[in-house]
Amino acid sequence: MELLRTFTPGAFAYGLASWSWLGVHGKTPRFTTVFGDVFLESLEGWWFLDTIEGSLELRWSTAVEMYTELDSPDGRADLLLEDLCRDALDAGTVPRADEVLAFSPHPALGGRLHVDFVAPVRFELALRLTGEMHHQLRSSLDATPSPLLLGHADAPHPVPVPAPALDWQRMPGRRP
């Protein structure tokens, strides 16, 4: 199984539309991991859209730096999830050319990074749904942060307690 995948511009556009809240505009998607994490290029360098964490990071200044990290043992383990890809392949779970492996349930919703929680899903659908899920998680009023968000969610704001109603008849200085 190839660890890096390419998709059509239309598939990228549809999937990335739900990530606009994270600032993906002005960046050109080039390829993905088997799990749908997206590598984007801009004038600043190369960005990594992590669909598990729901984050976008300018990670490399040049393509050489990016490919050097992706070819390293740490890069293959941490960014490409090579061991999990191998486990999926051993279990007979192989995405087609238009698919990525998606987590169900997603780790941000209590799922685990384990082969038992992955299934092939069309790339653009997986990316779109994951973006919408992360956006809803971050903007929900019940802002209990997920441990996967690593403190990126704001703490809940205290709700002010209304003052007790005043009895106008007994206020000092008021004449009957």
Side-chain angles (χ1 to χ4, degrees):
M1 177 179 340
E2 291 293 322
L3 297 178
L4 297 176
R5 306 175 67 78
T6 59
F7 296 97
T8 66
F12 276 117
Y14 182 82
L16 288 171
S18 67
W19 292 90
S20 61
W21 58 273
L22 199 55
V24 295
H25 296 297
K27 298 163 185 66
T28 304
R30 298 297 185 193
F31 52 91
T32 74
T33 68
V34 174
F35 292 94
D37 299 321
V38 183
F39 296 86
L40 303 110
E41 185 180 17
S42 74
L43 294 175
E44 295 89 10
W46 286 83
W47 299 76
F48 184 68
L49 173 62
D50 187 328
T51 61
I52 295 171
E53 295 288 333
S55 62
L56 178 67
E57 175 187 7
L58 177 58
R59 192 161 176 134
W60 307 276
S61 298
T62 66
V64 172
E65 290 175 8
M66 177 184 59
Y67 283 114
T68 299
E69 184 172 355
L70 293 178
D71 285 339
S72 73
D74 286 344
R76 294 174 77 82
D78 297 339
L79 296 171
L80 303 179
L81 302 177
E82 184 178 39
D83 290 343
L84 192 52
C85 289
R86 191 174 313 114
D87 292 345
L89 185 61
D90 291 346
T93 305
V94 181
R96 293 186 315 222
D98 64 343
E99 295 176 329
V100 293
L101 295 179
F103 293 96
S104 181
H106 193 277
L109 299 174
R112 294 185 20 222
L113 294 175
H114 189 273
V115 69
D116 292 340
F117 292 87
V118 300
V121 176
R122 281 189 57 156
F123 165 68
E124 60 266 35
L125 181 59
L127 187 59
R128 181 84 172 234
L129 293 175
T130 306
E132 290 173 3
M133 177 205 63
H134 277 294
H135 186 245
Q136 287 179 3
L137 285 173
R138 294 214 180 162
S139 63
S140 73
L141 294 176
D142 180 19
T144 305
S146 162
L148 290 174
L149 295 178
L150 302 174
H152 294 282
D154 293 333
H157 298 288
V159 177
V161 178
L166 299 175
D167 184 353
W168 288 97
Q169 299 296 325
R170 297 188 181 166
M171 286 190 65
R174 174 148 170 93
R175 293 189 182 183

